[in-house]
């Protein structure tokens, strides 16, 4: 049965009609084309009357295919398909001929433009003839969100979703939530104490009934698709029963291993083997560091179960919980699978803390050359020095301190070509914190540029210069060397063209924000894209800033790129609102442009030969192997099947298929060949 | 038609996300180029079956352009890499078939590169115009691949 | 291993500074003297010419490249896989030129035209430290005759041995350790200090002597403060600045250093029991008796 196709040629004011003879195009569309039963031209097809014309003619003429020859399909394909739908037609029988962007605007000669337009309309007419009815794919939604990472981004996103009434699962790999923000002393540009604004949020999260928190846990695998993810979580053995433990602190007070470098204090302070990372930790319950714990060391050495070791059981002995103690040396990793509708990735960043590649700054061998986060811990009231700025080597108050900006950032030779964005501001903050604590001290800052573009940011760093008297020198430091107990900093002041030599007591490197060490592996686990620096990629840098390349997975915070706290919180809120939009529907509708492997009656069942090349090329893992079984349950053949929920419609499988068993809806072989065949060649 | 007046027809297979949008951008910027190109839009260059190209030649296209997103920019993560691999295998096959590989161009044009689209089209049109009409298709239909150049006379031509 | 090392023949490119009767003759003499004892065998490249350093590479890129590359091509013609250029100025120029012609096809053609020889890309150009480290460390341990007493050596590499790191690919550009390893191997104490690769002022020695005096002073002071009583070098330029200018610097800064500046090859030679005079120990401005005397004990 041949389709009755209507062709509607738009003048677009004069945008098209000035260089294309639209009447002739309409006329030619009908000529030699028995399928085309109606043609017309109209001044503005996208206008209300234009759309009405389309609707009316579909009904009056009984059209079952429409070609609108107008602007780019990117502009109004949706508009015209909707109009057709309103007239009772399946919208996927509407095709657009791009007469404006790809013809009238680029070819000023009218006969040429008209000739090309005729071709373009014929191509789409032929494609339309092969169009099939397609229906949006409906996917049910599990109304539960997963937030990966318990820093400020994850906390904000989780709270926003939970407050809207949806369940949230939060997975944090450390023993406590809080992330990097909990480590900071004060925050710019207001100098309010980080803990003071962070801790209430952490408590709020812990107390929120909609949020289930897994700390000391990691994502093992993510399967499924938008609305229907299956997430496997590894609860690492904590050696402490969270339900029984009251966080009374007896155990970590008696632990004899007291000289373990604290990760939270950036190795400037010590912790015990059974520990909570910091006093305000949530949950405020300890974990046993099995690598350093004497009992576990002994058990490993003797190759016996930890419970059989008698080396040290002080924490167990002292635990006041009865009859069953809260400490359990025999605990093992536990796996939990959760059903999830949408995911927010908020895995954060890692500070460039290994400065060994900076041989010119001592390559990590000078104790008094520290990183930005280490300075935060020194300045923090809960830090190893209780907020006193002391040199790590001898505890002396540094009278002259040098800050070096852009260490690792904007330095393609050493790895990161990007700007870490926060360092200008936090260095200015550091100089202030330093001056507030060491009144007679002097701070020097070496910088390349000052990038303080944010609300009240410019004023903030100027305060560091004008009120706190920090000396800013525009130039790089070529070398730091030790002379007695001083560090000699050799640098250039490029504004005066002179060499600068400063005998400093301490040097702070504003080191770069980098992607987490395992970011690449993690991205592959989730099938999301990442850039060359291993930061996760948003799908569109301007218009889709929180969407990852996988449907239903969103990005928040510094895992997507360096950003400061206000920006992180804003992005987390945006990601949460995207998740809420998804979770607000019972079913999701998706464009039906997906691939399909054919199914035929017995005895063929499918032309698929089961080579699964399609499975190998599919970027989304959307191809599954399906057994076609006889009544007795025996497998007749194994063929490919496309999971519509996962398929994004790229067509890789269709092009790869050797037996032509896969077809991409909307772009199937018939349609493409119809287009090729319809071009008029010389 | 005299030879100087020969106007080649080029079929362009474009991905929806980058090059098709780049071609749109050329229009928005009113950048003029030669009108010899007919665009076929697909979601991704990785979804282009080489047989589409053969079909276009068979029908009489004088030149073909395949263009998609830059490496690393593919909307579908890796489709353009598959297209590139396929092209590497397909190109020698074309040569084997006696089709001058200069008749096919493969390029990356992003949605922001309207100018590059114009340059690419003008360049392929000029190249193909200089190569002359592709007449090998008459034989592609009847005698299969040729061994001595794309339009070399075959015995069956007279028969 | 021993037999094989002895058999290894390496093309020897002295360059202008260390060839016979030139300013740093003692470097060349000691390098050759040492190689006669522990190998590898060094054979002077026939008809070698200037490497194009200093003036040529600053004024005419093609000329300086052609000059350098010609020496490498000669080495290949003589059948060597590896060339030793003990002067780091030479080794750096040879390697950079080799790299340049490798990356620039047009330059390669022009240079081939100029030197009337094909350019070789198979010949490896090495500095002296590399040669010792790759071929002679075991030999040193085996044939060491004298054990130095109380000798604390600051290894000074200067800039040319390690920079530019992307092309030279030799040791850590900020904290090289090869020379320290050699110093330890001959039984002396390698002093950890901060000025291993600081600039000595090199080429400014005539045009901006005030700059050179400051830079050289910092190096001497750094070595002295770190407790070194000798500085080992592997570069005639460094040697000239540290040795020849030392008295001046002492006057200018009012601090007496009196640190002998010795070539690493001289130290190896002394440890092998070669005669100080044969190593050119008498050709220094700062008296080297202290170093020579340190090697008076015969090892058990």
């Amino acid at each position: 049965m041949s389709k009755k196709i209507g062709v509607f040629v738009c003048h677009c004011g004069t945008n098209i009609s000035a260089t294309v003879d639209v009447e002739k195009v309409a006329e030619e569309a009908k000529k030699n084309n028995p399928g085309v039963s109606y043609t017309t031209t109209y001044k503005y097809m996208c206008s209300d009357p234009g759309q009405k014309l389309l609707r009316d003619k579909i009904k009056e003429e009984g059209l079952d295919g429409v070609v609108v020859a107008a602007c780019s399909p990117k502009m109004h394909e949706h508009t015209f398909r909707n109009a057709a739908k309103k007239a009772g037609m399946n919208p996927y029988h509407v095709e657009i001929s791009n007469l404006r962007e790809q013809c009238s605007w680029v070819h000023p000669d009218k006969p040429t433009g008209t000739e090309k337009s005729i071709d373009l309309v014929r191509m789409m007419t032929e494609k339309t003839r092969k169009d099939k009815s397609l229906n949006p794919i409906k996917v049910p939604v599990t109304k539960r969100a997963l937030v990966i990472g318990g820093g400020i981004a994850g906390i904000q996103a989780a709270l926003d979703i939970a407050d809207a009434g949806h369940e949230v699962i939060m997975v944090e790999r450390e023993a406590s939530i809080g992330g990097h923000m909990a480590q900071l002393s004060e925050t710019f540009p207001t100098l309010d104490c980080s803990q003071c604004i962070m801790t209430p949020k952490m408590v709020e999260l812990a107390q929120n009934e909609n949020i289930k928190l897994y700390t000391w846990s990691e994502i093992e695998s993510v399967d499924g698709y938008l609305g229907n993810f299956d997430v496997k979580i590894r609860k690492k053995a904590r050696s402490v029963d969270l339900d029984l433990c009251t966080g009374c602190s007896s155990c970590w007070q008696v632990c004899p291993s007291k000289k373990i470098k604290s990760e939270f204090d950036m190795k400037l302070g010590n912790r015990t083997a059974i520990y909570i990372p910091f006093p305000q930790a949530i949950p405020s319950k300890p974990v046993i560091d099995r690598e350093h714990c004497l009992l576990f060391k002994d058990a490993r050495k003797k190759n016996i179960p930890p419970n059989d070791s008698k080396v040290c059981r002080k924490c167990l002995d002292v635990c006041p919980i009865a009859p069953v103690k809260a400490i359990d040396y025999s605990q093992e990793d536990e796996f939990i699978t959760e059903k999830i509708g949408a995911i927010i990735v908020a895995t954060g960043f890692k500070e460039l803390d290994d400065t060994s590649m900076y041989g010119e700054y001592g390559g990590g061998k000078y104790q008094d050359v520290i990183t930005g986060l280490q300075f935060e811990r020194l300045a923090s009231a809960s830090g190893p020095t209780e907020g006193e700025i002391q040199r790590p080597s001898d505890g002396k108050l540094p009278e002259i301190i040098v800050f070096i900006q852009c260490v690792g950032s904007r330095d393609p030779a050493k790895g990161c070509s990007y700007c870490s964005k926060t360092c200008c501001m936090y260095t200015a903050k550091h100089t202030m914190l330093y001056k507030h604590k060491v009144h007679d001290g002097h701070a020097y800052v070496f910088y390349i540029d000052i990038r303080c573009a944010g609300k009240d940011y410019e004023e903030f760093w100027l305060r560091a210069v004008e009120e706190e008297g920090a000396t800013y020198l525009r130039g790089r430091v070529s070398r730091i060397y030790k002379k007695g107990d001083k560090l000699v900093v050799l640098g250039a002041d490029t504004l005066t063209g002179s060499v600068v030599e400063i005998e400093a007591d301490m040097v702070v490197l504003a080191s770069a924000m980098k992607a987490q060490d395992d970011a690449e592996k993690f991205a592959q686990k989730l099938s999301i894209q990442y850039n060359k620096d291993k930061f996760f990629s948003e799908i569109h840098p301007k218009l889709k800033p929180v969407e990852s390349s996988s449907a239903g997975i969103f990005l928040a915070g510094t895992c997507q790129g360096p950003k400061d706290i206000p920006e992180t919180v804003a992005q987390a809120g945006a990601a949460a609102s995207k998740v809420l939009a998804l979770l607000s529907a019972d079913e999701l509708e998706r464009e039906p442009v997906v691939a399909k492997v054919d199914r035929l009656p017995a005895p063929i069942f499918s032309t698929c030969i089961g080579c699964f090349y399609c499975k190998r090329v599919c970027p989304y893992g959307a191809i599954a192997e399906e057994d076609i079984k006889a009544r007795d349950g025996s497998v007749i053949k194994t063929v490919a099947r496309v999971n519509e929920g996962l398929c994004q419609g790229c067509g890789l499988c269709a092009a790869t298929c050797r037996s032509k068993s896969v077809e991409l809806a909307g772009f199937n072989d018939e349609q493409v060949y119809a287009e090729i065949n319809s071009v008029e060649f010389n | 038609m005299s030879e100087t007046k020969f106007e080649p027809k080029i079929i362009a297979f474009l991905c929806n996300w980058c090059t098709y949008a780049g071609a749109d951008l050329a229009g928005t910027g009113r950048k003029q180029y030669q009108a010899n190109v007919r665009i076929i839009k697909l979601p991704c260059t990785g979804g282009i079956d080489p047989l589409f190209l053969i079909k276009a030649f068979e029908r009489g296209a004088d030149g073909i352009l395949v263009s998609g997103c830059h490496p690393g920019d593919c909307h579908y993560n890796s489709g353009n890499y598959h297209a590139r691999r396929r092209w590497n295998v397909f190109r020698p096959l074309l040569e084997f078939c006696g089709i001058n590989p200069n008749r096919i161009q493969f390029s990356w044009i992003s949605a922001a590169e309207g100018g590059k689209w114009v340059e690419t089209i003008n360049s392929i049109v000029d190249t193909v115009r200089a190569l002359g009409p592709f007449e090998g298709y008459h034989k592609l239909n009847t005698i299969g691949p040729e061994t001595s150049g794309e339009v070399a006379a075959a015995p069956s031509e007279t028969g | 291993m021993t037999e094989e090392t002895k058999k290894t023949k390496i093309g020897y490119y002295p360059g202008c500074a260390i060839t016979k009767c030139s300013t740093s003759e003692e470097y060349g003499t000691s390098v050759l003297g040492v190689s006669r004892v522990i190998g590898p065998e060094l054979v002077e490249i026939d008809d070698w010419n200037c490497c194009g350093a200093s003036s040529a590479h600053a004024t005419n890129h093609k000329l300086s490249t052609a000059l350098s590359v010609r020496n490498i091509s000669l080495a290949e013609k003589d059948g060597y896989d590896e060339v030793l250029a003990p002067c780091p100025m030479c080794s750096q120029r040879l390697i950079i030129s080799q790299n340049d012609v490798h990356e620039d096809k047009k330059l390669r053609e022009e240079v081939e035209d100029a030197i009337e020889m094909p350019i070789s890309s198979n010949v490896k150009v090495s500095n002296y430290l590399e040669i010792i480290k790759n071929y002679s460390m075991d030999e040193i341990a085996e044939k060491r005759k004298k054990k130095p007493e109380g000798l604390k050596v600051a290894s000074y590499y200067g800039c040319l041995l390690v920079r530019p790191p992307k092309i030279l690919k030799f040791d850590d550009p900020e904290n090289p350790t090869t020379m320290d390893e050699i110093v330890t191997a001959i039984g002396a104490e390698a002093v950890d200090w901060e000025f291993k690769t600081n600039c000595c002022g090199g080429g400014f020695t005539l045009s901006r002597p005030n700059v050179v005096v400051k830079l050289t002073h910092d190096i001497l002071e750094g070595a002295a403060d770190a407790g070194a009583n000798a500085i080992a070098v592997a570069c005639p330029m460094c040697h000239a600045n540290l040795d020849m200018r030392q008295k001046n610097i002492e006057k200018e800064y009012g601090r007496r250093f009196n640190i002998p500046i010795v070539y690493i090859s001289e130290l190896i030679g002394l440890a092998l029991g070669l005669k100080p005079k044969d190593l050119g120990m008498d050709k220094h401005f700062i008296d080297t008796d202290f170093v020579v005397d340190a090697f008076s004990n015969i090892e058990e």
Side-chain angles (χ1 to χ4, degrees):
Chain A
M1 188 196 81
S2 154
K3 267 188 185 174
K4 286 175 83 176
I5 295 170
V7 176
F8 299 79
V9 186
C10 180
H11 295 235
C12 194
T14 57
N15 275 309
I16 294 173
S17 60
T19 49
V20 170
D21 183 344
V22 285
E23 298 301 339
K24 192 176 174 199
V25 172
E27 204 177 294
E28 287 287 328
K30 208 165 183 176
K31 213 188 268 177
N32 303 325
N33 211 333
V36 177
S37 61
Y38 175 82
T39 64
T40 186
T41 70
Y42 191 74
K43 198 87 180 157
Y44 287 108
M45 276 307 295
C46 60
S47 66
D48 265 354
Q51 291 187 49
K52 185 169 183 300
L53 173 77
L54 183 80
R55 292 198 301 268
D56 291 350
K57 288 302 165 192
I58 290 173
K59 285 182 193 152
E60 284 168 25
E61 303 286 329
L63 303 176
D64 45 16
V66 162
V67 174
V68 184
C71 52
S72 169
K74 304 225 175 241
M75 297 289 295
H76 283 306
E77 186 176 69
H78 198 66
T79 314
F80 296 125
R81 283 189 169 167
N82 258 346
K85 192 176 165 190
K86 281 183 189 153
M89 201 172 117
N90 183 291
Y92 293 92
H93 291 285
V94 176
E95 298 288 350
I96 309 293
S97 275
N98 190 339
L99 292 200
R100 192 178 74 176
E101 278 82 351
Q102 295 181 2
C103 190
S104 72
W105 275 350
V106 290
H107 307 312
D109 178 50
K110 200 159 182 173
T112 312
T114 307
E115 191 198 321
K116 180 172 172 180
S117 297
I118 293 166
D119 244 7
L120 295 182
V121 170
R122 193 182 326 101
M123 287 166 76
M124 276 309 149
T125 315
E126 290 309 312
K127 187 184 182 200
T128 308
R129 213 188 284 283
K130 304 288 181 191
D131 281 352
K132 292 178 184 169
S133 295
L134 302 174
N135 293 310
I137 297 162
K138 297 210 163 150
V139 194
V141 183
T142 308
K143 299 203 173 196
R144 183 184 300 125
L146 168 71
V147 175
I148 309 172
I152 182 60
I155 291 175
Q156 183 65 43
L159 286 175
D160 285 354
I161 298 168
D163 287 346
H166 292 291
E167 275 180 62
V168 179
I169 309 275
M170 175 177 274
V171 175
E172 164 60 52
R173 74 165 152 198
E174 299 300 335
S176 166
I177 57 169
H180 282 114
M181 189 175 161
Q183 290 177 287
L184 306 182
S185 54
E186 270 81 26
T187 55
F188 60 77
T190 44
L191 290 188
D192 42 355
C193 142
S194 187
Q195 296 262 350
C196 312
I197 52 178
M198 183 71 174
T199 319
K201 271 195 182 287
M202 289 163 60
V203 174
E204 199 186 328
L205 182 129
Q207 289 174 351
N208 194 309
E209 286 182 353
N210 281 335
I211 301 177
K212 198 196 269 179
L213 180 59
Y214 292 107
T215 51
W216 204 246
S217 300
E218 293 191 44
I219 301 296
E220 192 69 9
S221 66
V222 175
D223 290 317
Y225 49 91
L226 169 65
N228 298 278
F229 293 103
D230 290 307
V231 179
K232 196 167 167 193
I233 299 163
R234 174 196 288 266
K235 268 181 84 178
K236 296 181 283 186
R238 195 178 186 115
S239 318
V240 172
D241 189 317
L242 285 182
D243 293 331
L244 296 175
C245 177
T246 58
C248 71
S249 85
S250 323
C251 55
W252 64 83
Q253 284 177 15
V254 299
C255 179
S257 309
K258 295 192 191 302
K259 286 274 157 77
I260 303 163
K261 293 280 173 214
S262 158
E263 296 83 1
F264 185 80
D265 282 337
M266 301 309 289
K267 311 225 154 112
L268 290 180
N270 295 330
R271 62 163 171 82
T272 44
I274 183 163
Y275 70 106
I276 58 167
F278 54 104
Q280 302 88 337
I282 300 272
S284 186
K285 293 167 188 182
V287 56
I288 294 183
D289 169 4
R290 292 188 169 185
E291 197 195 324
H292 291 102
C293 169
L294 295 176
L295 177 131
F296 282 96
K297 270 189 184 166
D298 180 60
R300 267 199 305 275
K301 208 168 84 190
K302 296 184 182 144
N303 204 12
I304 51 170
N307 250 342
D308 295 355
S309 171
K310 301 277 179 277
V311 165
C312 166
R313 305 171 80 90
K314 284 190 174 161
C315 51
L316 185 77
D317 294 342
V318 82
C319 181
I321 312 292
V324 181
K325 302 260 185 183
I327 290 171
D328 176 6
Y329 299 131
S330 63
Q331 220 179 56
E332 280 175 14
D333 288 6
E334 198 184 324
F335 293 93
I336 296 155
T337 304
E338 296 274 6
K339 286 231 169 266
I340 300 290
I343 300 175
I344 291 181
V345 179
T347 49
F349 71 99
K350 180 177 185 293
E351 189 199 31
L352 173 78
D353 57 357
D354 175 18
T355 50
S356 57
M357 62 175 131
Y358 282 93
E360 60 268 45
Y361 303 152
K365 71 178 170 191
Y366 302 134
Q367 268 186 295
D368 296 332
V369 177
I370 62 171
T371 67
L373 261 183
Q374 286 183 315
F375 187 86
E376 294 286 346
R377 293 314 299 149
L378 280 188
S380 168
S382 67
T385 58
E386 290 175 344
E388 263 206 50
I389 309 291
Q390 297 173 1
R391 314 208 301 185
S393 63
D394 55 8
K396 221 181 94 183
L397 221 62
E399 279 156 26
I400 291 179
I401 188 164
V402 172
F403 294 90
I404 305 175
Q405 292 196 177
C406 298
V407 175
S409 316
R410 304 180 73 193
D411 186 356
K414 295 269 166 79
C416 321
S417 52
Y418 56 85
C419 164
S420 286
K421 212 173 176 182
T422 55
C423 326
C424 287
M425 283 297 286
Y426 81 59
T427 300
K429 178 187 79 182
H430 286 174
T431 64
M432 291 185 194
L433 297 180
Y434 169 73
K435 282 295 284 184
H436 293 172
K437 296 184 183 202
V438 188
H439 301 301
D440 301 330
H442 197 96
Y444 293 90
V445 180
F446 283 93
Y447 70 98
I448 307 181
D449 294 298
I450 295 296
R451 295 180 166 177
C452 294
K455 195 178 175 189
D456 297 332
Y457 282 14
E458 175 73 8
E459 294 86 337
F460 181 80
W461 93 268
L462 283 176
R463 235 171 83 201
V465 179
E466 289 163 2
E467 288 175 31
E468 310 290 357
T471 304
Y472 271 68
L473 298 163
R474 184 179 176 279
R476 296 294 280 171
V477 169
S478 63
R479 196 155 168 73
I480 298 172
Y481 64 87
K482 208 159 181 179
K483 193 176 177 186
D485 75 335
K486 298 270 185 189
L487 291 162
V488 182
V489 180
L490 284 179
D493 177 359
T494 56
L495 295 181
T496 60
S498 54
V499 175
V500 184
E501 200 174 315
I502 299 168
E503 289 201 1
D505 296 301
M506 191 157 113
V507 177
V508 183
L509 308 177
S511 45
M513 278 171 122
K514 297 188 64 159
Q516 297 275 13
D517 290 338
D518 56 351
E520 195 170 6
K521 260 194 184 157
F522 187 73
Q524 285 159 358
K525 205 178 265 180
L526 268 69
S527 289
I528 56 176
Q529 277 179 281
Y530 48 92
N531 70 1
K532 67 174 183 7
D533 300 307
K534 316 286 186 279
F535 286 115
F536 304 145
S537 298
E538 64 285 2
I539 200 167
H540 191 285
K542 279 146 251 164
L543 302 178
K544 291 193 171 179
V546 297
E547 288 92 332
S548 80
S549 54
S550 282
I553 302 183
F554 301 91
L555 308 173
T558 49
C559 63
Q560 181 254 356
K563 49 180 71 68
D564 57 21
I565 297 167
E567 239 185 300
T568 298
V569 171
Q571 202 194 16
S577 80
K578 292 282 171 193
V579 168
L580 288 176
L582 274 180
L583 300 188
S584 65
D586 295 327
E587 276 186 329
L588 296 173
E589 271 197 5
R590 292 195 44 223
E591 277 270 307
V593 179
V594 289
K596 195 171 178 342
V597 184
D598 67 20
R599 289 292 183 271
L600 297 165
I604 298 172
F605 304 103
S606 169
T607 58
C608 172
I609 55 166
C611 69
F612 296 107
Y613 279 19
C614 49
K615 195 175 174 182
R616 277 158 64 179
V617 299
C618 179
Y620 304 100
I623 311 249
E625 296 183 17
E626 185 175 67
D627 291 334
I628 293 179
K629 289 180 181 161
R631 283 207 183 118
D632 62 3
S634 62
V635 176
I636 298 169
K637 65 195 277 192
T638 305
V639 297
R641 189 178 58 79
V642 178
N643 183 328
E644 288 186 344
L646 289 175
C647 177
Q648 302 286 320
C650 64
L652 274 178
C653 50
T656 307
C657 181
R658 303 191 293 180
S659 57
K660 296 271 150 237
S661 309
V662 192
E663 142 178 331
L664 178 63
F667 297 92
N668 66 32
D669 282 5
E670 264 197 309
Q671 288 169 304
V672 178
Y673 283 126
E675 281 190 69
I676 298 170
N677 287 337
S678 65
V679 179
E680 189 155 290
F681 294 105
N682 302 317
Chain B
M1 192 198 293
S2 76
E3 274 198 30
T4 48
K5 275 197 168 174
F6 161 65
E7 280 301 325
K9 272 255 166 100
I10 312 290
I11 302 288
F13 293 91
L14 308 185
C15 89
N16 176 43
W17 304 97
C18 291
T19 309
Y20 192 88
D24 273 357
L25 185 69
T28 316
R30 312 296 200 278
K31 294 187 163 107
Q32 295 173 16
Y33 54 89
Q34 303 184 60
N36 307 47
V37 64
R38 302 291 178 267
I39 291 170
I40 292 174
K41 180 180 79 162
L42 287 146
C44 179
T45 46
I48 297 172
D49 188 330
L51 288 175
F52 295 165
L53 316 189
I54 294 285
K55 180 54 115 182
F57 276 131
E58 185 200 308
R59 292 282 305 159
D62 301 300
I64 288 174
L65 172 72
V66 175
S67 183
C69 307
H70 284 269
D73 288 355
C74 180
H75 182 76
Y76 305 102
N77 298 0
S78 55
N80 52 356
Y81 294 125
H82 287 284
R84 181 168 66 183
R85 284 183 215 169
R86 208 174 280 139
W87 166 236
N88 283 339
V89 180
F90 185 55
R91 191 186 158 98
L93 181 72
L94 279 181
E95 279 184 277
F96 178 78
C97 293
I99 298 172
N100 187 330
N102 290 331
R103 291 191 183 277
I104 296 201
Q105 270 188 29
F106 189 96
S107 70
W108 320 116
I109 300 172
S110 79
E113 292 175 327
K116 187 175 175 192
W117 166 255
V118 172
E119 283 162 28
T120 307
I121 292 303
N122 284 338
S123 131
I124 186 169
V125 171
D126 291 344
T127 307
V128 174
R129 190 182 285 118
L131 286 172
F134 176 67
E135 285 166 351
Y137 66 93
H138 295 305
K139 288 142 222 157
L140 276 179
N141 267 334
T142 52
I143 60 150
E146 290 173 34
T147 47
S148 54
E150 54 173 352
V151 290
S156 62
E157 199 174 51
T158 48
Chain C
M1 171 75 197
T2 312
E3 285 309 300
E4 223 167 79
T5 314
K6 270 197 181 146
K7 270 187 228 147
T8 312
K9 270 193 194 175
I10 286 175
Y12 178 62
Y13 174 78
C16 65
I18 66 172
T19 191
K20 271 190 208 91
C21 302
S22 65
T23 48
S24 299
E25 187 189 3
E26 69 272 26
Y27 188 20
T29 331
S30 54
V31 164
L32 291 171
V34 164
S35 104
R36 277 192 285 273
V37 183
I38 56 170
E41 192 180 339
L42 301 175
V43 187
E44 191 162 322
I45 297 165
D46 192 31
D47 195 29
W48 62 267
N49 56 265
C50 166
C51 72
S54 305
S55 34
H57 85 264
T59 49
N60 186 333
H61 183 231
K62 199 163 91 183
L63 171 65
S64 68
T65 308
L67 283 168
S68 276
V69 166
R70 180 172 182 273
N71 294 309
I72 305 174
S73 292
L74 286 173
E76 184 167 61
K77 215 170 85 183
D78 289 354
Y80 303 115
D81 303 332
E82 188 167 1
V83 167
L84 162 63
C87 168
M89 202 99 163
C90 301
S91 59
Q92 193 212 42
R93 280 309 307 155
L94 293 181
I95 295 168
I96 290 179
S97 301
Q98 201 175 25
N99 187 67
D100 285 355
V101 290
H102 182 69
E103 283 182 354
D104 184 344
K105 215 175 144 192
K106 192 166 160 263
L107 179 70
R108 186 189 183 97
E109 282 163 9
E110 286 172 351
V111 168
E112 276 182 328
D113 205 38
I115 64 170
E116 297 177 342
M117 265 189 288
I119 287 173
S120 138
S121 45
N122 300 322
V123 174
K124 179 182 188 297
V125 180
S126 301
N127 65 47
Y128 187 58
L129 301 179
E130 255 174 313
I131 293 287
I132 293 295
K133 178 154 187 187
N134 292 343
Y135 296 99
S136 309
M137 292 303 267
D138 294 343
E139 302 287 323
I140 289 176
E142 208 173 295
K143 304 213 167 140
R144 205 171 72 183
K145 288 205 177 118
K146 306 265 180 93
K147 187 176 164 47
E149 195 128 316
L151 190 59
K152 295 178 175 179
V153 181
S155 298
Y156 178 59
Y157 299 76
C159 57
L160 294 163
L161 279 169
V162 286
R163 293 196 174 99
K166 265 193 187 152
I167 297 174
L168 298 190
K169 299 187 184 80
F170 169 68
D171 215 330
D172 181 334
E174 296 295 344
N175 184 26
T177 52
T178 312
M179 205 188 309
D180 298 70
E181 285 165 37
I182 299 171
V183 166
T184 313
I186 61 168
E189 185 187 328
V191 170
D192 186 25
W193 67 315
E194 304 286 352
F195 294 83
K196 285 180 175 181
T197 60
N198 269 42
C199 174
C200 71
F204 284 118
T205 185
L206 296 173
S207 52
R208 300 280 298 277
N210 57 328
V211 172
V212 178
V213 165
K214 151 93 169 92
L215 293 171
T216 315
H217 162 262
D218 290 353
I219 294 165
L220 289 168
E221 191 186 52
D225 289 350
N229 47 29
I231 297 178
V233 297
C235 171
M237 208 68 156
C238 301
H239 187 271
N241 279 333
L242 292 171
D243 190 36
M244 195 169 70
R245 293 198 171 277
Q246 203 174 121
K247 291 271 178 247
N248 259 344
I249 291 161
E250 287 177 349
K251 233 181 266 167
E252 193 119 341
Y253 283 84
R255 176 171 176 187
R256 189 166 154 76
F257 295 111
N258 199 29
I259 300 181
I261 314 297
V262 288
Y263 287 103
I264 186 71
S265 49
E266 291 177 320
L267 287 178
I268 303 172
L270 288 172
L272 296 173
L274 300 182
K275 283 194 192 117
K277 203 164 161 96
D278 292 350
L279 295 165
M281 298 306 288
D282 55 340
K283 290 191 190 294
H284 294 238
F285 283 88
I286 302 296
D287 200 286
T288 58
D289 284 357
F290 167 75
V291 178
V292 172
D293 291 346
F295 283 92
S296 44
N297 290 347
I298 295 186
E299 206 167 4
E300 301 295 310

